[in-house]
Amino acid sequence: MDIFLQQLINGLTIGSIYALIALGYTMVYGIMQLINFAHGEVVMIGAMVTITFINLLVGMGVHLPGPLLLLAGLMMAIPVSMLVGYAIERVAYRPLRRAPRLAPLITAIGLSIVLQQLASLIWGRSFRPFPAILETNVHDFFGASITSLQIASMLITIALLAGLFFLVERTKLGRAMRATSQNPDVAGLMGVNINTIISTTFMIGSALGAVAGVMVAANYDQAHPYMGALIGLKAFTAAVLGGIGNLAGAVVGGFLLGFIESMGSGYLGTWTDGAFGSNYKDIFAFIVLIAVLVFRPSGLLGERVADRA
Amino acid sequence: MAFDFLKTRQQRLFAILTFALLLAVLPWVLSGGFENGKSWLRAVDFALLYIMLALGLNIVVGYAGLLDLGYIAFYAVGAYLYSFLNSPHLAAVLPAWMMYPPLLVMLLLAAVVAGMFGVLLGSPTLKLRGDYLAIVTLGFGEIVRIFMNNLDRPINITNGPQGINGIAKVHLFGLDFGKPIQWLGLTFEVVHAYYYLILAFCALIIFVTLRLQHSRIGRAWVAIREDEIAASAMGINTRNIKLLAFAMGASFGGVSGALFASFQGFVSPESFVLMESVMVLCMVVLGGMGHIPGVILGAIIVSITPEILRDIINPVQNALFGKRVLDPENLRMLIFGLAMIIIMLLRPEGLWPSKRRKAEFHEHDKEAAA
């Protein structure tokens, strides 16, 4: 039973990270009907910038409590990631808005390689350990253990989700975003500046991605320049699982995928008598992705859109 | 690009013969005339393998318009199949009659098995297009790689991350390609012998794709790429034709992979990462999707560039800074990433496009001007 509870806690932690990244995919998809292929790189850059900045602060002899240092790193990472998100939109998507669909996809793949290689040139190819600034407070939770960091990650995710829903549903900017996603041309006629709205969408998604990147780095104690592809792919799976283009769907999909993945990798060894173990962890996301696209392409909460892609 | 001077049959024949002669003497020019000519010849051998791969992917991406980001998985299937049957690794498990099959049987088998994997990937993804398909195929490529990496237990099939060693070289017409062959007073070393072998299969694949291009099937692929609904209204069985594109493309990859395994003598999951799929895609995009000469050009550029970078960039860096500042591996991928962006923004039809493709990408230009 405590294995179940432990895996549930782990699943919710990684699930909250997937949810944050999935929101970035789903927002962009909702507004442009295109997948932002370079979104994983934004997450990676968020993580790397935070680590570098915290190391810099510690190196300069700044003595602050761990959480404050982490916050400082995050405050550095968010603008950088937003800038990268803006650049992705300007370089890969805006010039090709009326081009065949394959074209922006290929520029985005190209840009994602460029960002990866630049990161690898700046930070080196190897893993960067997350600076040991946080004390590991392990709490006992009905026989399973949960760290303060895990609790904080989930709470931050929930707070950000609430903020995002408020932004999209209750503000003028959100109304413009929803209008653009329904019909960009008409929204333009109504006085919405489409370019600004699309850029803003990319930047908000990137800010969430940066937070997620920091969470990945802090929870798993490391980051590296090639981490973006896999985590991006999984978060995309989460977005598809929930129904791409649907904000609530991205959240549901993120938590559900985190749950499936950690349960799967936790129990696969027991089910198969040790023949297959947790080294197959990464396969669950892909199987979920293929299964969803085959049996319910619209996802759990979405409209039917897969054919349009 | 038109070859107006190739009007008559004789002129064309002459041009082809000249070209064939050039290709025939190339390895001797390289190995005889240059200091590290053998490593260059090795690079040429790999370039030929990449041409085969790129032509296979071109069927899926260029003709049928289905973006496949997991293509390297089929290359892996061919390579691993060759390694299973041609190395001591599984010799104790498999029955003796299965081991060390003749080359042509082996390649046919690689083509068929890879083709089956192609259908396996194609069937659940038939309804998907564009970015969705790209992501699913990417996932498929990763699944294959994860299995290669982990299937060393419970039963050791792939030998995990260590890969498979001691893969036998090809035996053909009673000749062992693993040892230098004496013929006509020339010594054919492994790189030379493989050059001609791979060149022959490359020529075969070019011939097949050329014949396919304007065949019923080839035209059906293009029709699906242009407008799937219209294509099916014209009586094309879009499901079967798409599956055929996946199977065909995959089987080219399988053959190429089998030759790769025998040439390299060693396979491991390292050789089949996502970046390799992206590289092959880059060849197709750079050269000109759907245009055979363009794709060949793209494959040559992308596969030879790293060799040139290695030979030029490192000495230049040493001379300028006294040490290696930029890793050529990073630099190479950086250049390809940038090339993909720039090509798509400025010349989306590729460096050497077909006339039709060029027209498609510029049909809006006139409207915009008018």
Side-chain angles (χ1 to χ4, degrees), chain B residues 18-313:
Chain B
T18 316
F19 192 58
L21 191 70
L22 281 177
L23 283 178
V25 299
L26 178 72
W28 306 103
V29 174
L30 278 177
S31 64
F34 291 89
E35 201 183 327
N36 42 6
K38 253 199 218 145
S39 70
W40 276 101
L41 186 53
R42 210 178 141 72
V44 171
D45 289 358
F46 277 112
L48 288 171
L49 285 174
Y50 275 119
I51 291 177
M52 292 163 78
L53 269 183
L55 285 171
L57 184 63
N58 181 46
I59 291 184
V60 186
V61 178
Y63 292 167
L66 306 161
L67 187 58
D68 184 349
L69 280 182
Y71 186 69
I72 211 70
F74 307 123
Y75 191 53
V77 167
Y80 267 86
L81 198 66
Y82 188 94
S83 328
F84 292 157
L85 299 185
N86 292 282
S87 77
H89 175 61
L90 287 184
V93 190
L94 293 175
W97 60 266
M98 278 176 77
M99 296 305 294
Y100 302 103
L103 178 68
L104 293 179
V105 176
M106 184 63 232
L107 291 185
L108 201 64
L109 197 65
V112 170
V113 173
M116 272 157 42
F117 269 84
V119 173
L120 191 72
L121 166 67
S123 37
T125 55
L126 278 171
K127 284 190 196 141
L128 309 173
R129 288 206 72 167
D131 23 20
Y132 268 82
L133 182 70
I135 294 242
V136 175
T137 51
L138 196 161
F140 173 81
E142 285 298 294
I143 289 180
V144 170
R145 198 181 57 82
I146 292 171
F147 271 108
M148 289 188 306
N149 231 338
N150 291 308
L151 271 184
D152 47 350
R153 60 202 180 88
I155 313 162
N156 188 354
I157 300 174
T158 62
N159 209 21
Q162 287 89 32
I164 298 175
N165 263 311
I167 302 167
K169 292 274 187 282
V170 164
H171 290 254
L172 194 62
F173 310 127
L175 297 168
D176 179 2
F177 277 46
K179 300 189 188 97
I181 300 164
Q182 302 286 339
W183 192 56
L184 296 176
L186 292 168
T187 309
F188 288 73
E189 295 195 35
V190 178
V191 273
H192 292 84
Y194 264 91
Y195 171 80
Y196 291 109
L197 179 74
I198 301 172
L199 186 66
F201 280 100
C202 198
L204 178 72
I205 279 185
I206 293 174
F207 178 73
V208 172
T209 40
L210 275 174
R211 299 302 298 166
L212 271 174
Q213 192 172 23
H214 298 294
S215 72
R216 217 182 151 78
I217 298 168
R219 283 176 284 136
W221 282 332
V222 174
I224 288 178
R225 180 188 79 202
E226 296 302 320
D227 190 333
E228 198 171 331
I229 296 166
S232 83
M234 290 295 119
I236 293 171
N237 183 335
T238 53
R239 188 194 65 195
N240 290 357
I241 293 290
K242 272 190 189 175
L243 280 182
L244 191 64
F246 272 115
M248 274 304 226
S251 63
F252 286 15
V255 171
S256 178
L259 289 173
F260 164 76
S262 80
F263 180 44
Q264 178 105 330
F266 163 72
V267 293
S268 78
E270 282 277 287
S271 311
F272 310 106
V273 290
L274 171 63
M275 265 308 148
E276 288 289 317
S277 289
V278 175
M279 287 265 288
V280 182
L281 179 69
C282 188
M283 295 170 186
V284 176
V285 170
L286 206 65
M289 277 182 269
H291 191 225
I292 295 167
V295 172
I296 295 174
L297 178 72
I300 293 172
I301 293 177
V302 173
S303 56
I304 295 292
T305 311
E307 307 298 320
I308 297 174
L309 283 180
R310 206 166 297 149
D311 270 26
I312 293 172
I313 297 290

Side-chain angles (χ1 to χ4, degrees), chain A residues 222-242:
Chain A
Q222 60 185 26
H224 63 108
Y226 299 100
M227 68 189 260
L230 188 63
I231 193 129
L233 200 70
K234 288 184 179 174
F236 173 77
T237 304
V240 173
L241 177 62

Side-chain angles (χ1 to χ4, degrees), chain A residues 29 33-35 37 91 95-96 98 100-103 105-107 109-111 113-114 116-118 120-121 125 226 229-230 233 236 240 244 274-277 279-280 282-283 286-287 289-290 293-294 297 304-307 309, chain B residues 61 65-67 69 124-125 127-132 134-136 138-140 142-143 146-147 150-154 274-275 278 281 285 289 325-327 329-331 333-334 336-338 340-342 344-345 348 357 361 364:
Chain A
Y29 194 92
Q33 283 76 51
L34 284 171
I35 296 166
F37 236 92
V91 173
L96 296 168
R98 308 253 170 220
R101 298 188 61 110
L102 218 53
L105 193 54
I106 290 170
T107 49
I109 294 172
L111 198 58
I113 296 173
V114 169
Q116 232 174 58
Q117 298 303 324
L118 284 178
S120 163
L121 283 174
R125 287 161 170 273
Y226 299 100
L230 188 63
L233 200 70
F236 173 77
V240 173
I244 198 149
F276 298 98
N279 44 353
Y280 285 92
D282 293 338
I283 263 180
F286 301 124
I287 292 174
L289 177 66
I290 293 173
L293 288 173
V294 172
R304 185 168 178 79
V305 286
D307 284 351
Chain B
V61 178
L66 306 161
L67 187 58
L69 280 182
T125 55
K127 284 190 196 141
L128 309 173
R129 288 206 72 167
D131 23 20
Y132 268 82
I135 294 242
V136 175
L138 196 161
F140 173 81
E142 285 298 294
I143 289 180
I146 292 171
F147 271 108
N150 291 308
L151 271 184
D152 47 350
R153 60 202 180 88
L274 171 63
M275 265 308 148
V278 175
L281 179 69
V285 170
M289 277 182 269
V325 181
L326 298 176
D327 187 348
E329 179 66 16
N330 284 134
L331 204 60
M333 291 314 294
L334 199 60
F336 293 147
L338 281 175
M340 278 166 85
I341 299 172
I342 293 167
M344 269 297 132
L345 292 181
R357 200 75 182 180
F361 273 106
H364 297 296

